[in-house]
Amino acid sequence: MVRVARSGIFILYFVVFVDVFQLSFMWPLVPQIVQGFGKGPTEIGLLSSVAAVGEGLASPILGMIADRFGRKPIFMVAMAGCCLANVWTGFAEDYNWLLVGRLFVGILGGTPPVAAAYISDVTTAEERGEYLTHYQAAVFLGMMAGPFVGGLINQFAGWRIACFSSAGICALNFLLLFWLPESLQNAESCSSCCRRSKKAPPAVAAAAAATA
């Protein structure tokens, strides 16, 4: 088991917070944005749900890739992608462009299972419950702060600036990830072992434990 400093765990919590923040900040803005593009209630519902669909589809895949190649590379690729996806959304000129942007925000933001697996990698069974509780707190804080901050920025500067602000937070998070130690010592052997034993990969099992 890899042991990391408490500062590394706090970086992880911030990764989780930003992941959820950049997914949720647009929730209160969706009706205004969609109506500005001349669309109605159906399109509002679709735009509201497409990021969650992307996250749901991507989470198990990102978890399996993280078991094979390591947690840190997945975090870095996902956070860089979220930054670009939010910039794309901010420059959207029509509804379909906006829909694609939000879909990719969801796909690239599907890293909470990877974060749960990271915690499992670096904690003992006795410690794990406490750290997973803090992980859940980071999720809920992101879910709470995202809509509030998104609405506040929209009120004073518009929804496009809110998207660019979210991209800036993702960029800061990407830089912080350089100080996050890798938690998986031998990702390839871990993946091979799981295939041979037909057990769930650690990222999938950790995500299930975190939501139990």
Side-chain angles (χ1 to χ4, degrees):
M1 182 180 69
V2 177
R3 300 295 292 178
V4 301
R6 188 171 290 269
S7 59
I9 296 292
F10 280 115
I11 291 173
L12 180 73
Y13 293 152
F14 192 66
V15 170
V16 173
F17 170 82
V18 171
D19 262 353
V20 180
F21 176 95
Q22 60 94 32
L23 282 168
S24 65
F25 84 97
M26 205 169 174
W27 289 347
L29 317 182
V30 167
Q32 172 193 336
I33 296 169
V34 173
Q35 289 167 2
F37 285 120
K39 304 295 183 180
T42 301
E43 288 80 10
I44 290 173
L46 182 58
L47 187 63
S48 298
S49 61
V50 69
V53 170
E55 183 178 15
L57 292 173
S59 289
I61 297 171
L62 290 176
M64 288 186 286
I65 295 173
D67 288 335
R68 183 176 182 120
F69 297 107
R71 320 299 189 201
K72 185 174 179 176
I74 298 303
F75 287 137
M76 298 192 78
V77 169
M79 202 50 57
C82 285
C83 179
L84 295 175
N86 278 294
V87 170
W88 171 284
T89 304
F91 281 117
E93 294 295 337
D94 60 46
Y95 177 79
N96 292 331
W97 187 345
L98 192 64
L99 201 62
V100 170
R102 290 301 292 170
L103 176 63
F104 276 100
V105 164
I107 290 172
L108 294 163
T111 58
V114 183
Y118 187 103
I119 292 172
S120 293
D121 293 339
V122 301
T123 58
T124 64
E126 292 75 19
E127 298 170 325
R128 199 159 298 140
E130 177 187 352
Y131 284 95
L132 286 174
T133 300
H134 296 159
Y135 156 87
Q136 291 283 18
V139 170
F140 292 127
L141 282 172
M143 200 176 296
M144 177 184 69
F148 174 76
V149 174
L152 196 63
I153 295 174
N154 176 66
Q155 181 178 351
F156 292 103
W159 66 269
R160 295 183 189 275
I161 299 301
C163 291
F164 298 144
S165 300
S166 179
I169 294 173
C170 291
L172 172 62
N173 210 7
F174 176 82
L175 295 176
L176 286 175
L177 283 169
F178 282 99
W179 284 270
L180 181 72
E182 174 56 61
S183 67
L184 205 59
Q185 289 180 311
N186 194 335
E188 185 68 41
S189 66
C190 172
S191 178
S192 300
C193 178
C194 287
R195 287 196 298 270
R196 286 195 301 268
S197 65
K198 298 183 180 180
K199 292 181 179 178
V204 177
T211 56

